[in-house]
Amino acid sequence: MHMSDTLISPAVAVATSIVAAALVVVATRKIGRTERHNTTRLIPLMGVMGALVFAAQMLNFAIPATGSSGHIVGGVLLAAVLGEWAGFLTLTSVIIVQCLLFADGGLMTLGCNVLNMAALSCLVAYPLIFKPLIHNHNSPARWAAASIATSITALAMGALAVTIETELSGITALPYGRFLSFMLPIHLLIGVGEGLATAAVIASLRRYRPDLLFDSTEPTARPRTQFIAITVVAALLVASVAGTVASSRPDGLEWSIERTTAGVEIAESQSPLHHRAARIQRTTALLPDYEASMAGLVGVGATLAVGYGLSLLIRRR
């Protein structure tokens, strides 16, 4: 669901960037003021969970009978482990690393991508759907249903947001209704896949390390060092094989654009801001499109460092 710069206008880019930046500021203050007792546990977990989600996003899975593929967003999982605000910051750091280092998503659309993926999943879907559904319920089926329902809702809201941002920009020939008719169904299917994956991970945590879930009242029985080490190794393994096992089909957004335009490519905007953003991204993207064989490992390391540094900064504040 990473939007490219060809879809939005400078006005929409500026507006969404301001909102996304404001949410980042609010998130850092929320964590510092209301979750002080959790900042010690957040320092290593934000980094390792961000690295795991980065690696998982590289694994595009095929959507049967569509010719499309999808990847998890990871917002619901991050919010379940870290809390909604820390989950939002962690997923934002993943999106920033993907944009700057790998040119995955445009620089102008960075604000859009943060809102569509991180904010809608962590700050909207998780508190409004996931938390009420699991409130005072220990049933595994209830937790699995909450994971799936929240993931589907988050992906659907993200798909709707993409079409609205594109329509408000008015720089493409994508008819809103037709574009949405492809975006919404395909992302509902992707949401099912993400929901199943999220439910599986959360079920494992509830069985073996329930103390790691954010709202858990379970006492910490074992050090988190083992979990952190296992998570880092898992992220590195997934990133190292992602290029060979991931589906080569276009993702949900690309597939929807192809169907909407009947395969005709969207013309690039000629605005000065578009050109400036493209030049900056060409400079920062050392491994564009994950071309190098070590791109996944580099991305895991970068996300781990950014997440750890961000959580350490929050603790010091």
Side-chain angles (χ1 to χ4, degrees):
M1 199 186 291
H2 293 78
M3 295 179 71
S4 67
D5 287 347
T6 57
L7 295 178
I8 68 167
S9 65
V12 172
V14 172
T16 53
S17 296
I18 290 174
V19 175
L23 286 176
V24 169
V25 173
V26 172
T28 57
R29 292 180 176 177
K30 283 279 188 180
I31 295 172
R33 292 176 180 175
T34 64
E35 300 171 7
R36 291 178 182 175
H37 61 290
N38 286 315
T39 53
T40 300
R41 70 182 287 276
L42 287 177
I43 287 177
L45 289 183
M46 284 180 67
V48 298
M49 291 303 297
L52 182 63
V53 167
F54 174 89
Q57 284 196 15
M58 295 183 66
L59 286 175
N60 280 43
F61 53 88
I63 307 299
T66 65
S68 177
S69 68
H71 65 74
I72 74 164
V73 173
V76 178
L77 175 61
L78 290 175
V81 176
L82 303 172
E84 50 258 50
W85 290 105
F88 166 75
L89 280 180
T90 301
L91 187 49
T92 296
S93 69
V94 172
I95 295 170
I96 290 174
V97 169
Q98 291 170 333
C99 172
L100 296 182
L101 194 57
F102 301 99
D104 190 2
L107 185 60
M108 283 179 58
T109 56
L110 185 56
C112 291
N113 291 329
V114 168
L115 295 179
N116 301 344
M117 291 188 282
L120 290 178
S121 59
C122 297
L123 304 182
V124 180
Y126 175 78
L128 294 183
I129 299 176
F130 188 90
K131 292 179 74 173
L133 286 177
I134 65 167
H135 182 65
N136 293 331
H137 292 279
N138 290 320
S139 166
R142 184 86 172 204
W143 279 71
S147 300
I148 295 171
T150 309
S151 298
I152 291 174
T153 303
L155 266 293
M157 289 191 299
L160 177 60
V162 169
T163 58
I164 291 175
E165 290 155 358
T166 303
E167 178 68 14
L168 289 176
S169 295
I171 64 172
T172 69
L174 295 173
Y176 174 77
R178 181 172 172 80
F179 189 27
L180 182 61
S181 71
F182 289 112
M183 280 289 289
L184 197 54
I186 197 66
H187 282 91
L188 288 174
L189 294 175
I190 295 172
V192 173
E194 169 155 7
L196 292 172
T198 301
V201 175
I202 291 179
S204 297
L205 289 175
R206 291 187 70 235
R207 180 174 181 179
Y208 298 108
R209 292 303 304 268
D211 57 295
L212 292 174
L213 293 171
F214 182 75
D215 290 325
S216 174
T217 58
E218 294 284 339
T220 302
R222 287 173 288 170
R224 295 188 177 92
T225 307
Q226 184 182 20
F227 172 78
I228 292 170
I230 291 174
T231 305
V232 171
V233 171
L236 292 173
L237 288 175
V238 171
S240 64
V241 302
T244 58
V245 301
S247 173
S248 59
R249 296 179 178 180
D251 67 16
L253 176 55
E254 295 169 343
W255 179 87
S256 299
I257 292 174
E258 289 178 1
R259 294 299 185 278
T260 304
T261 63
V264 179
E265 291 189 6
I266 299 175
E268 294 187 8
S269 175
Q270 300 299 316
S271 78
L273 187 58
H274 280 86
H275 289 302
R276 191 174 298 113
R279 287 197 301 269
I280 294 173
Q281 196 169 38
R282 282 195 296 268
T283 303
T284 63
L286 302 179
L287 300 169
D289 298 322
Y290 308 95
E291 292 176 351
S293 59
M294 300 291 289
L297 301 181
V298 172
V300 166
T303 307
L304 185 64
V306 171
Y308 181 83
L310 184 60
S311 58
L312 189 62
L313 178 63
I314 293 172
R315 185 187 183 191
R316 288 179 177 176
R317 282 175 56 87

